[in-house]
Amino acid sequence: MNFRTKIPISKFNSPIDYSSKIVSLGSCFAVNMSEKLDYFKFQNSCNPFGILFHPLAIEKIISKVINKTFFTEEDVFFYNERWHCFDVHSDLSNANKDEFLQTLNELVKTTNKEIVEATHVIITYGTSWVYRSKQTEKVVANCYKLPQNQFNKEILSVATIEKCIQNTIDLIEKVNPKCIIIFTVSPVRHIKDGFEKNQRSKSNLISALHSIFDIRDTTKRYFPSYEIMMDELRDYRFYSEDMLHPTKVAIDYIWEYFSESAISDKAFSTMQEVETIQKGLLHNPFNHNSESHLNFLNQLELKISKLKSKFTFMKF
């Protein structure tokens, strides 16, 4: 008897391998998947402007990057002794305004180069709910814990998200028409919006994504992260203590799916070599000076040198 419904996912036509250059953008689940890519030493860049949750925030930052629209003093504000920007994550905030703007504009240039050279761009949407500044009437990516009365909360319609996704695709294809764009919806539950609003939010994202996909277009794919979590891992044991974020086991499970569908079979042997080295680097011996451990370290260094000779971008 089968107690689980398994989601069938076909192999991507242009899967990721060790020659691929990947740019990952979006919610905290994008970070989870990116950490896996980093662990296996793929060429990967993740969220240079920090975590971004909704489609408008991602579209806006991609537009700035592609068009090389640099940040100015009008884009930043001072609050709680630091300079912030509504379009980026608080991790980038800085006490020095000039340094902050310089950092943001350097990121515009480096991210532009990364997207132009990317073979794959992975975009993970987290929510349809957005906050609009009453002062500027613009949707923000981050509220920076400013008083809530400074914002109006609203949900993006399916039609608005469709347009946003298409704009994002058009922007990327403007500079990189052959790039494979992989979309996914984060399985993280946004319960602060309420149970019904969280479901409504995810539904709008999924409906919008599927409405613009053409099955004949192999340069755009949908990966069902949310569906795997909801339909295959439908148990609270797969959620962390906050009952909102997937556990490591759940992330590993979804990663296995992603590997099978989005990563080239030819890359698997190299991934195994990388994992052997990664586990070796974490090895903690009883006696660091023993002959057996020194031999182990020598063998490990030989394995690293061998891989780095084939893939010069790898760093351990």
Side-chain angles (χ1 to χ4, degrees):
M1 187 177 290
N2 189 357
F3 290 99
R4 178 174 292 171
T5 53
K6 195 165 180 66
I7 298 173
I9 306 177
S10 60
K11 194 78 173 184
F12 288 15
N13 288 340
S14 299
I16 293 166
D17 59 28
Y18 277 96
S19 66
S20 302
K21 293 186 177 181
I22 309 152
V23 177
S24 302
L25 301 166
S27 76
C28 50
F29 189 73
V31 176
N32 294 147
M33 291 294 99
S34 184
E35 286 173 348
K36 291 290 187 182
L37 291 167
D38 289 341
Y39 177 82
F40 287 104
K41 299 301 177 184
F42 286 95
Q43 299 179 81
N44 175 59
S45 169
C46 179
N47 281 340
F49 294 92
I51 291 170
L52 301 170
F53 291 100
H54 61 77
L56 279 178
I58 295 172
E59 179 198 350
K60 188 171 185 179
I61 211 68
I62 289 178
S63 178
K64 275 185 173 291
V65 165
I66 298 302
N67 296 311
K68 289 188 177 179
T69 304
F70 295 108
F71 291 86
T72 68
E73 291 188 0
E74 294 179 357
D75 297 312
V76 301
F77 65 96
F78 194 71
Y79 179 68
N80 276 350
E81 301 182 10
R82 292 175 73 79
W83 288 92
H84 310 281
C85 174
F86 281 129
D87 296 331
V88 306
H89 195 270
S90 56
D91 286 347
L92 295 169
S93 297
N94 194 312
N96 184 297
K97 181 173 66 173
D98 292 335
E99 287 182 8
F100 184 40
L101 285 170
Q102 183 179 354
T103 297
L104 292 178
N105 289 329
E106 283 298 319
L107 285 171
V108 169
K109 289 185 278 188
T110 57
T111 308
N112 176 281
K113 185 174 185 292
E114 288 172 349
I115 291 180
V116 168
E117 295 178 354
T119 58
H120 298 76
V121 173
I122 304 171
I123 297 175
T124 305
Y125 295 132
T127 183
S128 301
W129 289 101
V130 300
Y131 289 88
R132 189 181 296 276
S133 168
K134 291 181 180 179
Q135 182 179 357
T136 65
E137 297 187 350
K138 294 180 180 179
V139 171
V140 302
N142 194 318
C143 292
Y144 291 96
K145 298 184 179 179
L146 289 165
Q148 195 168 355
N149 60 13
Q150 294 187 23
F151 303 92
N152 286 320
K153 184 177 179 180
E154 58 188 68
I155 192 166
L156 300 176
S157 68
V158 173
T160 299
I161 299 171
E162 282 180 31
K163 184 178 179 181
C164 183
I165 295 168
Q166 191 59 59
N167 288 344
T168 299
I169 292 169
D170 291 343
L171 283 162
I172 295 170
E173 291 186 340
K174 176 182 173 182
V175 295
N176 191 346
K178 294 183 179 180
C179 180
I180 308 299
I181 308 174
I182 302 169
F183 291 94
T184 188
V185 173
S186 168
V188 177
R189 303 160 72 216
H190 290 257
I191 298 302
K192 66 178 181 180
D193 295 324
F195 290 95
E196 293 176 7
K197 289 181 178 179
N198 173 65
Q199 287 297 92
R200 182 183 171 194
S201 167
K202 301 290 188 184
S203 298
N204 283 9
L205 293 172
I206 294 167
S207 296
L209 280 164
H210 286 288
S211 69
I212 66 167
F213 279 179
D214 184 337
I215 195 167
R216 294 166 297 177
D217 187 348
T218 58
T219 62
K220 290 176 281 295
R221 290 296 301 259
Y222 178 75
F223 178 73
S225 301
Y226 178 78
E227 291 81 354
I228 294 168
M229 192 73 191
M230 294 296 106
D231 288 313
E232 288 202 38
L233 304 179
R234 52 168 72 198
D235 193 305
Y236 277 107
R237 63 186 164 147
F238 296 114
Y239 286 92
S240 58
E241 291 179 357
D242 64 4
M243 295 298 167
L244 305 177
H245 291 79
T247 61
K248 181 182 180 301
V249 171
I251 291 168
D252 289 346
Y253 186 87
I254 296 172
W255 167 255
E256 286 181 15
Y257 254 117
F258 186 83
S259 298
E260 291 170 7
S261 59
I263 295 179
S264 170
D265 293 344
K266 294 178 181 178
F268 290 161
S269 60
T270 302
M271 289 171 68
Q272 290 174 354
E273 290 181 59
V274 170
E275 185 163 38
T276 298
I277 292 170
Q278 295 282 44
K279 289 179 178 179
L281 291 171
L282 292 173
H283 177 64
N284 189 18
F286 290 111
N287 183 356
H288 288 268
N289 297 316
S290 67
E291 184 177 349
S292 61
H293 180 61
L294 293 175
N295 287 334
F296 172 80
L297 292 178
N298 286 333
Q299 289 301 312
L300 190 62
E301 188 57 42
L302 286 173
K303 291 176 183 177
I304 292 173
S305 297
K306 180 184 174 183
L307 261 186
K308 289 175 73 173
S309 67
K310 291 169 62 179
F311 306 104
T312 56
F313 57 84
M314 286 190 182
K315 295 180 181 178
F316 289 91

